[in-house]
Amino acid sequence: MTYADRISIQVSLSGYSFRIQTGDSTEYSGWLSPDRIFTTKEFQSRHGDVEISLFTPKCTLVPSHFFSVPHSRELLADVSELEDGDSVDHVEIPWCDAVLVYSLSVGESMSRMISGTVLRDDGSRARVLPEMYFLLRDASLLQDYNRIVASYADGRLYLAVFQGKTLLLANSFSAADFSTAEYFLFMVLKKLQLNPEQSQVYFRTPLEPEWEMSLYRYFKGVEQI
């Protein structure tokens, strides 16, 4: 079976989730454990487009005019603790006039397995990119003036915030539970002087019902994308 659709897969150390978009309809899987990879029927079919993101805190955004490939590792090592065996790569973020430098060494085995299994219609494999890339992309596509896009997985909050076309923040925070993740979210908005009551927050990861209800107490709206 082949879907005329897009499948977007998020991979973390503890598991994975995916969503399938066909026309105006979207199907969400919720979080699944790693042992289900080989029995997920959607992974055994080809798709019109495939996106794979890996949750890695080892990434940094560098202005394009400061970036050079030979210094990629040095630039990332300035903000992240790298192991000797960590590979370093980069991807351009033209809408931010920046380059995202990253390492996928955290959880790389599972993401490679998925990228080799879930193929596009033409048999090509999707490039695995860090979750931060997709946060920045999705935030840039929103029509809101305050554009707040977040993901939460493996005890870490990933956050991108734009105001208009201006990127205000792209970072991740260690948060053992969702209450702590909310604390960092509100701390960032306070420092950036953004009012949650006048803003909508978008999450790329599945939200537990109690998490969603908690966010609704403060934000104008909450949406999973």
Side-chain angles (χ1 to χ4, degrees), residues 184-196:
F184 282 116
L185 175 58
F186 295 129
M187 179 192 71
V188 165
L189 296 184
K190 183 177 181 180
K191 287 190 174 182
L192 297 177
Q193 298 183 341
L194 300 181
N195 186 351

Side-chain angles (χ1 to χ4, degrees), residues 94-124:
W95 57 93
C96 296
D97 194 21
V99 176
L100 186 65
V101 185
Y102 61 89
S103 173
L104 296 182
S105 297
V106 178
E108 193 170 22
S109 298
M110 193 189 309
S111 63
R112 280 184 175 178
M113 184 185 305
I114 291 175
S115 69
T117 303
V118 187
L119 304 177
R120 299 188 180 98
D121 289 341
D122 61 5
S124 63

Side-chain angles (χ1 to χ4, degrees), residues 25 35 72-73 93 136 165 187 190 194 200 203 224:
S25 66
D35 61 308
S72 296
R73 190 175 191 86
I93 313 287
L136 292 167
K165 295 182 179 180
M187 179 192 71
K190 183 177 181 180
L194 300 181
Q200 184 149 315
F203 268 80
Q224 185 178 351

Side-chain angles (χ1 to χ4, degrees), residues 3 61 66:
Y3 292 92
L61 202 61
F66 286 142

Side-chain angles (χ1 to χ4, degrees), residues 155-169:
R156 197 165 195 92
L157 173 72
Y158 297 79
L159 185 62
V161 181
F162 286 75
Q163 190 168 58
K165 295 182 179 180
T166 303
L167 174 63
L168 301 180
L169 178 134

